[in-house]
Amino acid sequence: MHNIAYMENLLNVNQVAFILKVHPLTVRRYIKEGRLKAVRAGGNIRIKESQLVEFNKDFSQTPKEAVVRSKLVVSKRFSLNDPLFRLRGRGASINLSS
Amino acid sequence: MASSKKVYLTDSAFYAFINRVHTRHNYAQAFFRYFAQEEYALFTDTETITQAYNQIYKEVSPALAKDFLRTIFISDINIIYPDESDIKAALKTLVNYQSLDLTFSQALMAVLANRRGVPQIATFDYLHPLFGLNTFFLPI
């Protein structure tokens, strides 16, 4: 009796699919691929609430994306002393229609 | 309207700036002067540089094209070197886009600008409405 009181909340495939906003077959695929851990209650698949929370964490930003975004921070500022200004109007194309 | 001080430069902007008989030369000058005064962060990519180089080489002179390359790499313009995932994303965009007049280099540019959080593109060509990017206009 004491153990049952502390037993974790279990969800079925349809409930998990509803929460994750995916098709139930997708949830079954996640389980098959081992991405989402599930338990068998009799012959039925059940997912622990804690496992679902853990699974949701997998969708957070990956380190690779974080590295890409960190590149954005360091960016040089353009100024009036830039060497590009030396090229201003330096050429004239022969084809005047361009 | 408050906007980010980041602009992506296309080959047409470089070419119009360098070529003094270009119909948009004055606009291009005004663009670059404004970017410098307001200390914008300017971005471009290697593909765009190659295109600008080729255009200057063919239409103006090979010597100036070489000068352009030398200058762009010592300039404070941020050059983006596309990696494999950028190329794949550009290819995917190009394949899935309805209009046939979108080129690979335009798709790549849109992907790079979007991934680096650059919301505006300084161009004198038609800009495809990809990822919500806008053409840069000088504020009046």
Side-chain angles (χ1 to χ4, degrees), chain A residues 26 31 66:
Chain A
T26 309
I31 295 164

Side-chain angles (χ1 to χ4, degrees), chain B residues 47-64:
Chain B
E47 175 75 17
T48 302
I49 292 171
T50 310
Q51 283 183 342
Y53 169 81
N54 286 336
Q55 203 173 5
I56 297 165
Y57 187 95
K58 282 179 196 160
E59 308 271 339
V60 186
S61 85
L64 186 58

Side-chain angles (χ1 to χ4, degrees), chain A residues 19-36:
Chain A
I19 292 165
L20 297 178
K21 294 184 174 60
V22 295
H23 197 273
L25 286 176
T26 309
V27 176
R28 288 182 192 278
R29 182 166 51 84
Y30 288 157
I31 295 164
K32 200 177 172 185
E33 289 169 358
R35 291 164 67 186
L36 177 61

Side-chain angles (χ1 to χ4, degrees), chain A residues 49-67:
Chain A
E49 219 172 72
S50 62
Q51 290 298 338
L52 186 62
V53 171
E54 196 63 31
F55 178 74
N56 273 332
K57 279 181 187 169
D58 290 344
F59 287 102
S60 63
Q61 194 181 45
T62 60
K64 195 181 168 188
E65 283 170 341
V67 169

Side-chain angles (χ1 to χ4, degrees), chain A residues 64 68 71-72 74-80 82-96 98, chain B residues 5 15 17-21 25 29 32 36 39-43 59-60 64 67-68 71 75-76 78 115-116:
Chain A
K64 195 181 168 188
V68 170
K71 282 182 192 169
L72 310 179
V74 187
S75 55
K76 293 177 272 183
R77 297 276 161 186
F78 194 62
S79 70
L80 286 164
D82 199 274
L84 191 78
F85 281 103
R86 276 186 254 148
L87 294 180
R88 179 175 47 198
R90 272 241 342 243
S93 62
I94 301 156
N95 180 12
L96 294 175
S98 68
Chain B
K5 283 196 170 182
Y15 183 64
F17 181 70
I18 291 167
N19 184 3
R20 63 177 174 271
V21 296
H25 177 63
Q29 272 197 91
F32 279 96
E39 295 185 334
Y40 267 63
L42 303 182
F43 294 83
E59 308 271 339
V60 186
L64 186 58
D67 261 5
F68 166 72
T71 307
S75 158
D76 277 340
N78 299 281
R115 288 189 168 182
R116 265 73 180 177

